[in-house]
Amino acid sequence: KQEVTQIPAALSVPEGENLVLNCSFTDSAIYNLQWFRQDPGKGLTSLLLIQSSQREQTSGRLNASLDKSSGRSTLYIAASQPGDSATYLCAVRGGSEKLVFGKGTKLTVNP
Amino acid sequence: DGGITQSPKYLFRKEGQNVTLSCEQNLNHDAMYWYRQDPGQGLRLIYYSQIVNDFQKGDIAEGYSVSREKKESFPLTVTSAQKNPTAFYLCASSKVETGELFFGEGSRLTVL
């Protein structure tokens, strides 16, 4: 059974810092991996989708990497801003239509 | 603008009542999903549908029911059989080609 872990559960950094969020998964036979952002009381916003054949995806200040062999993905945020404060979730899709979600990392960027 | 619309945003229910949460999408996606989110538990899949008139149980389907009569709509009914229905409910849809998942804004159900 696929399990997805995100460490740390919470992270607090000063504005302007570059940071890395981690996501690990137990079964490397994945179809894709997706990173989301969730603001309090809101739905999830898709940030980046990495297909199993890809190694990384970039969007603006965000870069996500995927290493299937080690069961890891990282989300790199460059030059963090207070507006980046949110909970970040990763989700892994295996052979079925189901995604398995991590519990998220709550990021606080302090001005 | 294309997107997923969930309603109502907030809902209060007395014990023993059934309630239906609406989910409509205009993204022309084939697949639709319902998730439940509880503090500290992450997202758990309730039901999903890959095509009209067909749906499958997710990991926590007991006490819930769904229908998929139209491609755009996937309503979720929380029945009185659901023992702990107070939660944040999220509807999502995805493109078959990429599998990318998109979410609505959520519905918060509170049982009084």
Side-chain angles (χ1 to χ4, degrees):
Chain A
K1 179 185 173 185
Q2 178 75 271
E3 292 182 3
V4 179
T5 304
Q6 293 185 248
I7 295 173
L11 181 64
S12 181
V13 301
E15 181 177 3
E17 192 162 298
N18 301 325
L19 59 100
V20 173
L21 305 181
N22 297 297
C23 173
S24 61
F25 47 93
T26 55
D27 186 348
S28 61
I30 67 170
Y31 179 68
N32 63 36
L33 184 145
Q34 196 168 352
W35 281 94
F36 297 89
R37 167 191 173 130
Q38 186 176 30
D39 294 294
K42 301 288 189 182
L44 279 67
T45 299
S46 178
L47 298 174
L48 289 164
L49 172 73
I50 310 178
Q51 301 293 350
S52 63
S53 59
Q54 298 173 319
R55 293 298 298 264
E56 65 177 337
Q57 282 286 345
T58 299
S59 176
R61 294 183 294 107
L62 305 179
N63 176 278
S65 68
L66 175 64
D67 184 343
K68 286 194 305 179
S69 61
S70 66
R72 289 179 168 226
S73 176
T74 61
L75 179 67
Y76 174 82
I77 303 176
S80 58
Q81 303 169 358
D84 294 330
S85 298
T87 296
Y88 291 81
L89 298 101
C90 70
V92 171
R93 185 188 295 272
S96 71
E97 284 297 310
K98 301 183 194 180
L99 262 70
V100 179
F101 283 82
K103 294 184 179 180
T105 294
K106 184 176 181 180
L107 173 66
T108 302
V109 181
N110 301 300
Chain B
D1 285 338
I4 301 171
T5 302
Q6 289 188 238
S7 62
K9 190 172 175 65
Y10 298 97
L11 185 60
F12 297 88
R13 178 194 108 175
K14 293 182 179 179
E15 282 191 19
Q17 289 181 334
N18 292 354
V19 294
T20 297
L21 307 180
S22 170
C23 178
E24 304 277 332
Q25 56 100 358
N26 60 5
L27 300 169
N28 199 33
H29 288 171
D30 288 305
M32 297 188 73
Y33 310 79
W34 274 105
Y35 288 89
R36 170 180 171 141
Q37 187 175 36
D38 298 280
Q41 292 245 24
L43 273 76
R44 293 181 289 170
L45 182 64
I46 305 172
Y47 269 98
Y48 65 103
S49 168
Q50 295 174 265
I51 196 169
V52 174
N53 292 324
D54 188 43
F55 47 83
Q56 286 77 40
K57 294 181 179 180
D59 301 316
I60 55 165
E62 184 176 351
Y64 300 98
S65 66
V66 293
S67 63
R68 187 85 186 278
E69 297 176 1
K70 298 186 300 181
K71 186 175 183 178
E72 302 79 17
S73 180
F74 192 41
L76 174 73
T77 296
V78 185
T79 74
S80 56
Q82 167 51 232
K83 290 184 171 52
N84 186 19
T86 294
F88 190 50
Y89 291 88
L90 288 158
C91 178
S93 68
S94 69
K95 298 166 69 168
V96 171
E97 295 83 3
T98 65
E100 185 172 8
L101 205 66
F102 297 88
F103 280 84
E105 284 293 295
S107 293
R108 185 167 297 280
L109 172 64
T110 303
V111 174
L112 304 173

